[in-house]
Amino acid sequence: MKAPRYSTSRQKACQRCSTAKARCDRKAGRCTRCALRGLSCTYLPSGAATRGVSDDENVTQSQPLSTPDILHAAEGLLPTSGCDQPTGLEGQSSAYGSAQPIGDTTPTDTSTATSAKWRVPNDSRPNLTPRSPLGLDTLDFSCLELLNPINVDDISNRWLNSFVPIPGQKVKEYPASITAFIYRILKSYAAVTVRGRGVPPFVHFSQTIPALLRPPLSTCLSLVRVCDKLLPGSEGAATDVLQREMDNLYEQHGTYDDVDLLAAFQAYLVYSLVLFFILGRVSDPFLRQAMMNLQELACSCSRGGLVCVAEQQRACPRWEAWVVAEAKRRTLFTMYLFDSVLLAQDGLPTFLGTELRGLSASASKSLWSAQTRYEWETTYSIYLADWPGGGLRIDELWPTPPDLDAPGILERRNRVDQWLENVDEFGTMLYAVTSCTHGG
């Protein structure tokens, strides 16, 4: 016997969407709205369901999130146990949530429901990441072959320097204009991430590809979106959600492999930036403890290596190894700048990060933005030819050593000029800060 003709079509929404008077896509297994919130999804018997929003009705424009919205959104995004949870990167529901960050992609339809703060994998939606043409499906982040040219343990103790200065350390005398410049730049990193317009320039684009996105960073890029357009009075709830995830990240970081540890380091830094610049936790004691934890995370991440073995041998490394090493260095430099902002806020001195001496300055725009392995390897071959003695080091942007003679000073300036020919916005920012602070 056939089912009644309208028995299914009249059931417009699941029980939860019907109660909330929200649009329900009636996706098999669990609708999108319930999946985002980690809620069970059930349908009332035919004829018993309350009226939901019909498929052809217009939905409301996106509105600021209230405190209940924040807590509901966090339910489906925060991990419930350890790092052994499924990643949710293949369209599966997991403790990290099945939502994926929008990145630079913006919806063409401006009528977006309040709950649609993240895009959820949908078999009917085309894959926005071209993989085969770019060869990104072949990226392999195992066996990276990295080494350390510095003593990374000094990174974890940096917070002590402002209270127990090491003899001979040089104080960085930031002009007020440079402190304000760093503040505005770092604030823009937090804002672009919260709004889903992209990622900070210390996160490589390959790290955001769904198949390669690691859980700590995946959760972060989704979770900070709850801080966009908050209603007055909701900041406390958003702060609690972020701080809880930061505690979870720090407690679990000893169980991560090198690539997950990089993602955790980057995520923890993003959370800290959002707390300070977006949620206004300027004098929050939690943030001071978070900086200590962040420096410990930076130390642990750096132990896996900051330089490719092939880089040291003046040879072309594997693209994957270079991406991890460059992302680590950029994240380190950003953390040091953020540390200087927090110290200035507290009226404490900032010391030159001499423990980073010898690390490569940020790479060229063409290397960092290369979209294919062939493009990157070709660009790196040109880089090796242009820099036979090795690329610019971060300490070459610091004050000129007093024992450097005139030819040495000229050579150093020429190397900086050559480096500036192809830097991206991150390199330009580093140069602006160091040049206006140290001269040269």
Side-chain angles (χ1 to χ4, degrees), residues 40-61:
S40 60
C41 186
T42 58
Y43 293 83
L44 293 176
S46 178
T50 58
R51 181 185 181 274
V53 180
S54 63
D55 291 340
D56 56 351
E57 287 185 66
N58 292 327
V59 293
T60 59
Q61 190 103 5

Side-chain angles (χ1 to χ4, degrees), residues 142-206:
S142 61
C143 303
L144 296 177
E145 296 186 340
L146 305 179
L147 57 80
N148 268 318
I150 65 173
N151 181 8
V152 298
D153 290 331
D154 291 337
I155 298 174
S156 63
N157 298 325
R158 180 170 173 79
W159 65 273
L160 279 171
N161 296 352
S162 298
F163 302 97
V164 186
I166 299 175
Q169 277 194 315
K170 182 175 178 59
V171 176
K172 286 193 288 189
E173 299 290 349
Y174 280 137
S177 58
I178 289 300
T179 300
F181 174 74
I182 298 172
Y183 183 99
R184 300 291 290 274
I185 291 295
L186 296 184
K187 183 179 180 181
S188 73
Y189 293 172
V192 75
T193 311
V194 164
R195 293 175 184 173
R197 305 285 177 82
V199 292
F202 52 84
V203 177
H204 192 257
F205 83 92
S206 66

Side-chain angles (χ1 to χ4, degrees), residues 17-31:
C17 291
S18 178
T19 302
K21 291 183 170 60
R23 179 186 289 276
C24 179
D25 58 10
R26 300 173 58 210
K27 189 175 179 181
R30 184 160 55 168
C31 73

